[in-house]
Amino acid sequence: MGGFARPGPILKSKATRIERPPKARRGEARPGKAARPLQGGADRTRCTELLPPPCRVPWGGEAAPRAPPVSAAALSCRRYVAGGQCKSTAKLEGKVVIITGANTGIGKETARDLARRGARVIVACRDVAKGEAAASEIRADTGNQQVIVKKVDLADTKSIREFAEKFLAEEKELHILINNAGIMLCPYSKTADGFEMHLGVNHLGHFLLTFLLLERLKQSAPARIVNVSSLAHHGGRIRFHDLHGEKSYNRGLAYCHSKLANVLFTRELARRLQGTKVTANALHPGCVHSELVQHSFVMTWLWNTFSFLLKTPQEGAQTSVYCAVAEELDSVTGQYFSDCQPAYVSPRGRDDETAKKLWSMSCELLGIQWD
């Protein structure tokens, strides 16, 4: 009977057997696969060479974790904290600039920016060694060798007068004066002349310096005076009955009082300089991660802990630079700026009678006549 024959047994032969690759030893790679890095041992370098470039690690180390992606919200927050930027491209070749406290913080970054624009920058500071280090860094960074350090101690009127005398003897022009130096949250102390330290350094020192240099500014006009104040002026008041805090003292409020004095000084100075082509404006640099809070352990801890919510010194310098160079401010005077735009001034900062009284008392304390 016809049909299919019954199949016989299937014979396995060596020719048809599928050979599996030998099991890879620890540290070796299977074909088509990368070896896993070892925790250590003599074969570590050889094994990691089989890994793709992003996974390779140095001898004895572990693969660095990839940075987590930065969220759009975080970037947006950081841009908000950074604030406004000075977009002016003005050049300052042939211009002479004085910046007090330019050995650190926003003063140093302001000096760097203006030096990059070609200005001759006078770094006026108390710590000459620190000033020379900052000036050397700025010269190397900008290629501008006209960055000069001069000693001035704003807590000593004798030092201020000596600085001004030497400057006037050596420099024939002055186009920009930036009263930047300041102190904050100091324990109660007095200057060499007996003034409460915040009032003496932040206000009276710059008041006297401006007085001594004003004629040179007028001769060099158009010229600008820039006073670095603070948002803290909103919490200040001029306590004429206790200017030096001898009856009661709070170091936080003392700072606020001195910053209000900056705003009032700017307002009255601008009024008196009308028609001279010398302008005067004040500004708030923002909350900046700098050495300003060094006298307070708590504030220093907060500044370091929440530094991501603070401006860098370079960001904090933007409004100072803006007030110094922006073409649109050529004839603007007596104003207060923040983030490179006009900002709100407290009612006490707009009190003309208080400004005039503070002016008169400042002249009396310093022994000068400035009419």
Side-chain angles (χ1 to χ4, degrees), residues 185 215 296:
L185 301 175
E215 288 306 313
S296 170

Side-chain angles (χ1 to χ4, degrees), residues 193-364:
D193 302 275
F195 310 140
E196 186 277 316
M197 191 61 72
H198 291 90
L199 183 74
V201 172
N202 295 353
H203 168 60
L204 292 173
H206 286 127
F207 188 96
L208 177 61
L209 181 63
T210 305
F211 167 75
L212 296 171
L213 299 176
L214 188 59
E215 288 306 313
R216 188 56 47 89
L217 284 160
K218 289 180 178 178
Q219 294 167 8
S220 308
R224 301 187 186 190
I225 300 169
V226 179
N227 295 324
V228 178
S229 180
S230 170
L231 183 69
H233 84 272
H234 286 268
R237 64 173 62 226
I238 306 302
R239 303 169 69 245
F240 290 107
H241 66 287
D242 189 24
L243 271 180
H244 303 299
E246 295 173 332
K247 296 179 181 178
S248 64
Y249 179 77
N250 178 289
R251 56 185 180 174
L253 290 177
Y255 176 74
C256 295
H257 301 335
S258 69
K259 294 291 102 177
L260 174 60
N262 292 154
V263 173
L264 292 170
F265 168 46
T266 303
R267 188 177 183 87
E268 181 63 11
L269 179 61
R271 186 184 70 81
R272 290 169 178 258
L273 290 177
Q274 289 179 355
T276 65
K277 293 186 179 181
V278 178
T279 63
N281 290 297
L283 65 96
H284 167 55
C287 294
V288 182
H289 192 217
S290 69
E291 298 177 1
L292 189 62
V293 297
Q294 61 183 316
H295 295 290
S296 170
F297 172 80
V298 173
M299 289 298 292
T300 299
W301 181 83
L302 288 172
W303 249 229
N304 291 332
T305 303
F306 298 101
S307 59
F308 63 94
L309 294 176
L310 302 174
K311 291 184 178 183
T312 65
Q314 190 272 337
E315 292 165 349
Q318 292 303 300
T319 306
S320 294
V321 173
Y322 175 75
C323 289
V325 306
E327 297 88 344
E328 61 267 31
L329 300 186
D330 281 343
S331 58
V332 175
T333 190
Q335 300 301 306
Y336 173 76
F337 295 86
S338 178
D339 284 331
C340 301
Q341 59 186 359
Y344 178 75
V345 179
S346 73
R348 291 193 183 100
R350 290 179 271 120
D351 189 329
D352 289 332
E353 291 305 313
T354 300
K356 292 176 182 177
K357 187 175 180 180
L358 177 63
W359 184 283
S360 298
M361 186 162 286
S362 299
C363 289
E364 182 180 339

Side-chain angles (χ1 to χ4, degrees), residues 29 32-37 47-57 63 66:
K33 293 188 179 181
R36 294 183 181 179
C47 294
T48 54
E49 287 175 353
L50 299 174
L51 296 173
C55 300
R56 292 178 184 167
V57 295
R66 296 190 179 188

